[in-house]
């Protein structure tokens, strides 16, 4: 099997993400992970779910920033990624290398909640449906899978992706494609939210505006939540 692509980027990953638009949008790159944490908290709050009793897996967790931010929210947190180089940065979390990128190294029906954040645009188009079915396998009945992706409807996102070295192979997913992936894998869509409209400084003052815009499909990124039926 060939060397995982992100092993080539792991040592200089944060440097490789630098971009004038991206850096101007957020004073601190941690903002991008914090926004995802807030979005996930918001989803569960809206559905009146107490996450403290739930288990959470981040597929394609990379350096594990989102897992760290959500560690205290869940009973159990775990991650996996094909790149051992990226996982070296993760501490204090059960992380496993995907020796086969199409296989998730956990048993069936283990998790209540799973995320894949900025992963699918690196997965070959022909492998995306099988990866989604594999996620469904490790999800408990009633569990939620959230795919978070760059939004190709946003011109700034497209420009940043075009010139970011780690995105050299990226094929972005339109929200409708992501919704179909979930649906076709037996994970009917429960919600779609668009976010990253406002730069960090404005968001911190007027985050409620982003909340009002969450159904408008122009945010820099979006999240689609699908649920494994109980039957
Ligand atoms: C852009 S990074 C995102 C990392 C992290 N999720 C984040 O948001 O910071 C993409 C990650 O997807 C991983 N990846 C690529 N193909 C994958 C697959 N088939 N299954 C799981 N992860 C994969 C890469 O190794 C890399 O760590």
């Amino acid at each position: 099997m060939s060397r995982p692509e992100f092993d080539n980027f792991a040592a200089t990953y944060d440097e490789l993400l630098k971009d004038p638009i991206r850096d101007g949008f957020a004073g601190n790159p941690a903002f991008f992970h914090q926004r995802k944490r807030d979005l996930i908290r918001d989803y569960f709050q809206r559905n009146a779910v107490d996450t403290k009793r739930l288990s959470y897996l981040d597929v394609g967790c990379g350096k594990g920033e989102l897992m760290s931010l959500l560690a205290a929210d869940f009973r159990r947190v775990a991650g996996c990624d094909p790149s051992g180089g990226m996982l070296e940065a993760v501490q204090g979390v059960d992380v496993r290398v995907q020796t086969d990128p199409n296989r998730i190294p956990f048993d069936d029906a283990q998790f209540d909640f799973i995320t894949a954040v900025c992963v699918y645009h690196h997965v070959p188009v022909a492998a995306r449906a099988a990866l989604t079915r594999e996620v469904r396998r490790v999800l408990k009945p009633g569990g939620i899978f959230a795919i978070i992706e760059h939004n190709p409807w946003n011109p700034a996102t497209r420009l940043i992706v075009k010139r970011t070295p780690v995105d050299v192979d990226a094929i972005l997913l339109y929200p409708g494609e992501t919704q179909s992936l979930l649906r076709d894998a037996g994970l009917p869509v429960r919600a779609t939210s668009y976010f990253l409209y406002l730069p960090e400084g404005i968001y911190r003052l007027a985050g409620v505006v982003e909340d009002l815009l969450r159904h408008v499909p122009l945010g820099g990124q979006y999240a689609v939540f699908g649920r494994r039926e109980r039957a």
Side-chain angles (χ1 to χ4, degrees):
M1 193 156 296
S2 60
R3 175 181 161 89
E5 183 186 18
F6 274 73
D7 277 1
N8 302 316
F9 304 134
T12 52
Y13 186 64
D14 294 342
E15 281 302 307
L16 293 172
L17 291 184
K18 284 190 185 305
D19 179 278
I21 300 178
R22 191 176 187 273
D23 300 346
F25 196 86
N28 181 341
F31 175 66
F32 295 106
H33 301 294
Q34 290 162 2
R35 281 297 289 114
K36 289 164 188 120
R37 175 201 59 195
D38 294 349
L39 189 91
I40 287 164
R41 283 183 176 164
D42 184 61
Y43 174 81
F44 284 111
Q45 270 161 19
R46 279 179 203 279
N47 288 280
V49 173
D50 175 9
T51 56
K52 289 261 194 239
R53 17 176 217 97
L54 305 185
S55 49
Y56 165 44
L57 172 69
D58 191 16
V59 172
C61 63
K63 300 203 163 201
E65 294 94 334
L66 184 61
M67 290 189 302
S68 302
L69 289 172
L70 285 168
D73 291 47
F74 290 90
R75 175 179 56 79
R76 174 189 177 198
V77 176
C80 57
D81 198 291
S83 167
M86 293 290 276
L87 292 180
E88 273 175 25
V90 184
Q91 288 180 343
V93 178
D94 172 13
V95 285
R96 303 186 188 176
V97 177
Q98 288 170 244
T99 47
D100 175 351
N102 303 315
R103 207 187 123 61
I104 295 176
F106 288 92
D107 292 339
D108 294 1
Q110 289 280 300
F111 295 96
D112 300 287
F113 178 52
I114 301 180
T115 51
V117 179
C118 296
V119 169
Y120 271 77
H121 61 261
H122 295 291
V123 176
V125 174
R128 290 174 181 173
L131 181 65
T132 315
R133 289 194 296 272
E134 181 63 0
V135 169
R136 185 181 186 277
R137 179 184 67 75
V138 296
L139 198 59
K140 290 182 190 174
I144 299 291
F145 178 33
I147 299 181
I148 300 183
E149 273 299 323
H150 295 316
N151 184 6
W153 294 119
N154 181 299
T157 295
R158 288 188 87 99
L159 180 59
I160 296 169
V161 168
K162 199 171 159 199
R163 60 194 188 189
T164 299
V166 308
D167 286 327
V168 62
D169 72 345
I171 300 176
L172 298 186
L173 295 84
Y174 284 92
E177 292 177 69
T178 304
Q179 290 165 340
S180 297
L181 271 176
L182 288 169
R183 221 176 280 124
D184 294 349
L187 301 165
V189 172
R190 301 290 298 230
T192 303
S193 287
Y194 300 86
F195 66 110
L196 292 179
Y197 288 93
L198 304 176
E200 181 177 7
I202 302 176
Y203 175 76
R204 301 237 179 257
L205 293 173
V208 68
V209 176
E210 273 220 13
D211 194 40
L212 295 172
L213 291 171
R214 71 181 196 281
H215 297 304
V216 181
L218 290 173
Q221 296 190 338
Y222 65 90
V224 186
F225 296 82
R227 182 168 181 266
R228 180 173 172 174
E229 301 288 80
R230 288 189 191 279

